[in-house]
Amino acid sequence: MKSIYQNMIDDIEEIFRRKNLADKDYLLDYETEYLTQYVFDNYFDEADIEIGYRKEDIEDILRFYAFKGEKPAFIEFKEKYQYDLKKVAEYICYQRMDPYGQAEYISKLWDEKDSKWKQIQKQEKVGLSYRSYKTNIKRRAFRT
């Protein structure tokens, strides 16, 4: 499945160009549906999509490219395990971090050179996703 997704990501600029959407910063719902169907027909139609295919993932990739104008990095499922908010929250609780320490630790994880938190959360640090990221960690920390 990785090679199918990677092929799609490699071709994404051409896909947008072919469909006259290369200059779009935002995809309307009907454009997203149209592109998603095009991608499915051309990349996933012959594949076994029982495992590893989610329509929402395709839509997210297409919207990311339209908004950012850059190809997203491919994050394998096994890598996603490293980016588990629950693990971050548990670590914060285990270390008994005060609010200042929590903020510093969360920011450090977000800003690490090879961190994929931004891609997983889909925004930059200044955006809603960074606040959501911090809020979700705190929720999980106090739920345990």
Side-chain angles (χ1 to χ4, degrees):
M1 196 55 68
K2 176 184 177 182
S3 63
I4 296 171
Y5 275 101
Q6 192 61 57
N7 289 340
M8 182 200 71
I9 290 170
D10 290 345
D11 296 345
I12 201 164
E13 188 175 343
E14 179 65 20
I15 292 168
F16 273 73
R17 191 187 61 69
R18 272 191 217 146
K19 299 303 173 188
N20 297 318
L21 296 169
D23 296 330
K24 297 285 279 190
D25 292 336
Y26 174 82
L27 294 176
L28 300 172
D29 287 342
Y30 78 90
E31 293 168 327
T32 303
E33 290 173 27
Y34 173 72
L35 274 179
T36 301
Q37 188 60 51
Y38 175 83
V39 166
F40 178 80
D41 292 344
N42 288 279
Y43 293 86
F44 294 89
D45 194 33
E46 300 293 320
D48 177 11
I49 60 170
E50 296 279 326
I51 299 173
Y53 170 82
R54 289 186 48 227
K55 179 181 176 185
E56 294 81 9
D57 290 340
I58 304 301
E59 291 170 346
D60 288 345
I61 291 168
L62 294 169
R63 285 187 184 117
F64 178 90
Y65 181 78
F67 181 68
K68 293 281 195 173
E70 60 188 53
K71 297 176 183 181
F74 183 82
I75 302 171
E76 291 191 61
F77 185 74
K78 63 185 176 189
E79 281 184 280
K80 287 183 182 182
Y81 180 74
Q82 295 173 231
Y83 299 96
D84 183 351
L85 290 175
K86 184 178 180 188
K87 286 181 167 266
V88 174
E90 288 171 351
Y91 180 80
I92 288 171
C93 287
Y94 180 76
Q95 295 296 318
R96 298 183 184 273
M97 291 183 188
D98 62 25
Y100 177 78
Q102 291 174 22
E104 190 175 272
Y105 178 68
I106 290 167
S107 186
K108 179 182 143 262
L109 290 176
W110 186 267
D111 291 332
E112 283 178 342
K113 182 181 176 201
D114 294 327
S115 173
K116 294 188 172 114
W117 281 113
K118 292 173 190 166
Q119 294 161 337
I120 292 169
Q121 297 294 318
K122 299 179 183 74
Q123 293 291 328
E124 293 299 321
K125 184 175 178 178
V126 295
L128 289 175
S129 287
Y130 180 70
R131 286 190 292 277
S132 174
Y133 159 79
K134 289 193 321 186
T135 301
N136 284 330
I137 290 171
K138 288 178 183 177
R139 275 192 201 129
R140 291 181 185 271
F142 293 112
R143 232 190 295 166
T144 54

